Amino acid sequence: MKKFFTIFTVFSIFSFCAAADDFLYTIEPFGAVRFGQINEYVFDYLPNKTRHKLSMLNWEIQPEKIFGGRISGAWNEWELRWMTLGGIEGKSGFMYDFDYENGDEKATKYSQSFNRLTKNTEVAGEVSYAFDFGDYFALSPFSGFNYKIHQFEAWDGYYQYASANDYWNENLPKKDFTGRVVSYRHEMWYPTVGMRIGGNIYDFISFESSLSAAPYVWGKTKDMHWLRDLEIDNSLKNGVGFFGDIKVSVSFLKRHSISVFASAENVQNLSGKTTYTDIRKNTASTYDAQSGVQGGSSYNSYSIGISYKLSIW
């Protein structure tokens, strides 16, 4: 929260120090629905630097209702943007759990539970510089920083376990379990660089689209397996991300506009050390690539939504 107020204070100083004639300030609340999935992995890291999956958890985002807002301040060609959003707690598809015990990435154990989103908060800030090509077209390189956190609870469901040296299949007997199964927390933070293109189709209709990349993504995950009294913590790095969005806006009464937008996000290759804590025995063991076991994660989503923007000056 302290970081939020620091950034907001800097934004305010930037805003009110600018000359009124050259400055444009906007407020844009929005709502959207998001679909996607967060994956967590444990890898067997071999001496030849190849990896085999030992386990995988898939957390569905199916769908998530999100609400948030953007504020921006533009001074001549420079623009500073700030965005924050939150997700509404609720059912979010299923959580799928796979184990791969025969060393060939073919599942041997499978379980499925109901999934519930308990928290999602995201903040992002960016600065850009616009190159205008006439009154109807602009190209803006930008850079920024993003932070995301998701939390889920999996409960009830069933499992199917193959016998020794055999493999899971959908026809194996299903055995039910009840209550809380796994709690999960997933965080990411990363810088971005990208390019935005914008222009006017007609005097009152405009468009904006951007592509960006995160050359380095950090992450941290924690999942608590309640039926096994096992906690798994992953400290992750080396991820890469790619992001895109498009927005079409209709302006009215000079200072107002309504927009529809779509966006997509993809983060891959997060990996790092993993720590297993046995709650019953009060013991912990940490592994990394050097010790032969490594944690990992990935994230993908797409969203569609609508926004309203008010221009103050």
Side-chain angles (χ1 to χ4, degrees), residues 39-112:
N39 306 308
E40 182 191 14
Y41 310 98
V42 176
F43 295 103
D44 183 9
Y45 199 85
L46 303 180
N48 62 0
K49 297 186 178 181
T50 61
R51 299 188 303 181
H52 291 159
K53 278 188 294 187
L54 297 177
S55 70
M56 177 175 66
L57 274 67
N58 305 139
W59 298 86
E60 288 187 330
I61 303 171
Q62 206 69 297
E64 176 189 1
K65 301 177 183 67
I66 56 178
F67 293 92
R70 305 181 187 94
I71 56 176
S72 69
W75 181 37
N76 294 325
E77 288 79 17
W78 291 96
E79 184 178 19
L80 184 64
R81 295 187 179 190
W82 173 257
M83 184 279 296
T84 184
L85 68 82
I88 296 179
E89 178 180 348
K91 293 181 180 179
S92 186
F94 295 92
M95 186 277 286
Y96 307 100
D97 188 354
F98 298 86
D99 287 330
Y100 309 87
E101 299 174 319
N102 292 339
D104 53 9
E105 295 200 2
K106 294 181 181 179
T108 57
K109 294 180 179 179
Y110 169 80
S111 67
Q112 176 179 312

Side-chain angles (χ1 to χ4, degrees), residues 135-138 197-209 246-251 260:
D135 295 331
Y136 293 93
F137 176 73
I197 182 174
N200 296 322
I201 301 173
Y202 297 103
D203 289 340
F204 61 95
I205 300 177
S206 61
F207 76 93
E208 181 179 280
S209 181
I246 186 169
K247 180 168 71 172
V248 176
S249 305
V250 177
S251 302
V260 292

Side-chain angles (χ1 to χ4, degrees), residues 116-294:
R116 183 175 185 85
L117 175 74
T118 58
K119 181 180 181 178
N120 174 212
T121 302
E122 301 178 20
V123 293
E126 68 176 49
V127 60
S128 64
Y129 186 90
F131 295 91
D132 293 318
F133 299 90
D135 295 331
Y136 293 93
F137 176 73
L139 204 59
S140 305
F142 64 88
S143 63
F145 196 84
N146 297 256
Y147 170 78
K148 303 177 185 289
I149 178 171
H150 286 81
Q151 291 184 183
F152 298 96
E153 292 277 355
W155 81 102
D156 295 347
Y158 68 87
Y159 65 91
Q160 296 171 299
Y161 290 175
S163 56
N165 299 319
D166 206 349
Y167 296 97
W168 166 77
N169 67 78
E170 295 180 354
N171 298 319
L172 289 174
K174 296 179 180 179
K175 297 182 180 181
D176 295 332
F177 46 72
T178 59
R180 188 163 56 165
V181 181
V182 183
S183 301
Y184 185 61
R185 177 187 178 100
H186 184 275
E187 296 176 85
M188 294 189 299
W189 52 96
Y190 49 88
T192 56
V193 291
M195 185 69 69
R196 180 180 300 109
I197 182 174
N200 296 322
I201 301 173
Y202 297 103
D203 289 340
F204 61 95
I205 300 177
S206 61
F207 76 93
E208 181 179 280
S209 181
S210 70
L211 292 173
S212 61
Y216 201 96
V217 181
W218 295 267
K220 189 174 183 181
T221 70
K222 174 181 288 189
D223 50 301
M224 179 66 194
H225 294 253
W226 296 101
L227 302 181
R228 300 160 57 192
D229 283 337
L230 177 66
E231 182 180 284
I232 303 175
D233 296 272
N234 293 318
S235 296
L236 307 173
K237 56 185 180 180
N238 298 326
V240 293
F242 300 94
F243 314 92
D245 63 74
I246 186 169
K247 180 168 71 172
V248 176
S249 305
V250 177
S251 302
F252 59 98
L253 300 178
K254 292 183 66 175
R255 299 183 183 274
H256 307 267
S257 65
I258 297 291
S259 305
V260 292
F261 63 87
S263 63
E265 304 174 296
N266 185 275
V267 177
Q268 299 292 329
N269 299 332
L270 278 163
S271 60
K273 68 179 182 180
T274 182
T275 300
Y276 285 72
T277 302
D278 189 317
I279 304 300
R280 296 172 189 169
K281 297 180 180 179
N282 194 29
T283 59
S285 302
T286 299
Y287 306 93
D288 55 20
Q290 284 69 39
S291 60
V293 176
Q294 193 175 42

